[in-house]
Amino acid sequence: MTTVYSISELAQEFKVTPRTIRFYEEKGLLSPGRKGSVRVFSSADRIRLKLILRGKLIGFSLDESRDIIDLYEPETTNNRQLESLLDKISEKQLQLEQQKKEINTMLKDLKKTEAICLSALSQR
Amino acid sequence: MTTVYSISELAQEFKVTPRTIRFYEEKGLLSPGRKGSVRVFSSADRIRLKLILRGKLIGFSLDESRDIIDLYEPETTNNRQLESLLDKISEKQLQLEQQKKEINTMLKDLKKTEAICLSALSQR
DNA sequence: ATTTTGCTTTACGTTAACGTAAACGTAAGC
DNA sequence: GCTTACGTTTACGTTAACGTAAAGCAAAAT
C-alpha cells in the first residue's frame, strides 16, 4: 500500500496553494496520477515538488528546476545521452558552487556590518 | 580625481543593458549623480550595482537586494534602529545559511546521479 | 435530502523585471 | 554641416509565476 497525497495535503505541507501545484503540472514539472478527474500524488511526485521548491528557494526558474530534476531521473539509455547528461551535471555543479561563493561573500559583508553596529552600540 | 563611469561602461562590465540600470534607479536601488541630464556613476554606485546583481544571482528579488544593500550603509544613528538593523542582519544570515544547505543537498544529489551515470557508462 | 467540503476546468488579472521602440538632445569625427 | 555615437525620457509590450473568480461535479457530513 503505497502512500498517496491529495493536492491540498501537499499544498499544506509545502505552504503553497493548490493553484501552484496545478500550475507546475501545467508546465510539465509534475504529472500526478488521476482517479477519475482527481489528481493523485505519489511519493515520487512529492519529492519532485520538494525539488522544485528547493530550486525556487535558491533562485532557479521553473525551467531550470525542471532541468535539474530531469537530471535525477535518467531514462537516458545510450552513451551519447549519458555523456551529455554528465556535462549538464558538471555545469549545474559549477553554477551551484558559484552561488555558494556569492553567498559566502555576502555573509562576510554582513558580518562586517554587524561588527560595526555592535561597536557603535558598545560605544554608547 | 575619483573614478566615474558612464551607464554603458557599467552595462558592459556587468553584462546588463543600460535599460536595466535605469530600471534599478527608477526602483530606487541606485541614485547616480548627474552631469546635466546625463547619469554619472561613482565607485560606490558601481559597488551597489554589483551587490544587486549578486543578490539576483542567488535568487533575491530587487526589493530583497535593496534591503541587504541598505544594511551595508547604516545611516542609522540611534540605538533602537541599530538593534533592529542587527535583527535584520541575523535574519538575512539565517536565510543565507539555509540557502547554502539547500545548495549542498542539491550538490550531493547531483553527485549521486553522476556516479550512477559513470557506472552505467563503465559497464558498457 | 441537501448543505458543505474538496476537487475540477476555464479564463482573465496581476506583479516583477525588464525589452523595445519612438522621439529627441548633444558632442565628437569626417 | 551632416552623420554617427551615446545619452535622455516616455510609454507600451512581454514573460514568468502564479492569484482570483466563476461555474460545475461528487463524495461526505448533517
Side-chain angles (χ1 to χ4, degrees), chain B residues 71 76 79-90:
Chain B
L71 297 185
T76 319
N79 287 18
R80 193 172 310 245
Q81 285 174 326
L82 270 182
E83 285 171 13
S84 110
L85 177 56
L86 282 171
D87 284 352
K88 287 178 191 169
I89 290 180
S90 300

Side-chain angles (χ1 to χ4, degrees), chain B residues 26-27 42 45 55 74-75 79 87 96 112 121-122:
Chain B
E26 197 181 320
K27 284 274 156 176
S42 69
D45 293 325
E75 64 217 9
N79 287 18
D87 284 352
L96 289 173
K112 268 189 215 168
L121 267 180
S122 71

Side-chain angles (χ1 to χ4, degrees), chain B residues 31-81:
Chain B
S31 17
R34 298 272 176 156
K35 189 180 168 188
S37 71
V38 175
R39 273 163 263 252
V40 180
F41 295 82
S42 69
S43 325
D45 293 325
R46 205 188 76 107
I47 299 290
R48 285 183 71 93
L49 178 54
K50 202 177 202 167
L51 292 175
I52 297 168
L53 297 174
R54 179 168 15 250
K56 231 190 93 172
L57 188 64
I58 62 178
F60 286 158
S61 71
L62 293 185
D63 283 350
E64 285 177 313
S65 286
R66 190 204 345 248
D67 286 356
I68 293 192
I69 294 171
D70 288 348
L71 297 185
Y72 296 150
E73 295 167 3
E75 64 217 9
T76 319
T77 200
N78 82 58
N79 287 18
R80 193 172 310 245
Q81 285 174 326

Side-chain angles (χ1 to χ4, degrees), chain A residues 18-35:
Chain A
R19 171 68 175 115
T20 297
I21 296 179
R22 291 193 194 102
F23 179 73
Y24 291 163
E25 179 182 357
E26 197 180 319
K27 286 274 156 176
L29 288 121
L30 294 174
S31 18
R34 298 275 175 154
K35 189 181 168 185

Side-chain angles (χ1 to χ4, degrees), chain A residues 98-115:
Chain A
Q98 181 57 31
Q99 287 192 224
K100 270 177 69 175
K101 280 188 192 171
E102 307 287 7
I103 290 180
N104 283 330
T105 308
M106 273 203 171
L107 280 171
K108 271 192 193 175
D109 290 353
L110 285 180
K111 286 233 171 205
K112 269 189 213 169
T113 307
E114 194 176 25

Side-chain angles (χ1 to χ4, degrees), chain A residues 77-92:
Chain A
T77 199
N78 82 59
N79 287 16
R80 193 171 310 242
Q81 286 174 325
L82 271 181
E83 284 171 14
S84 109
L85 177 55
L86 282 171
D87 283 352
K88 288 178 191 168
I89 291 180
S90 300
E91 192 186 329
K92 284 296 167 189

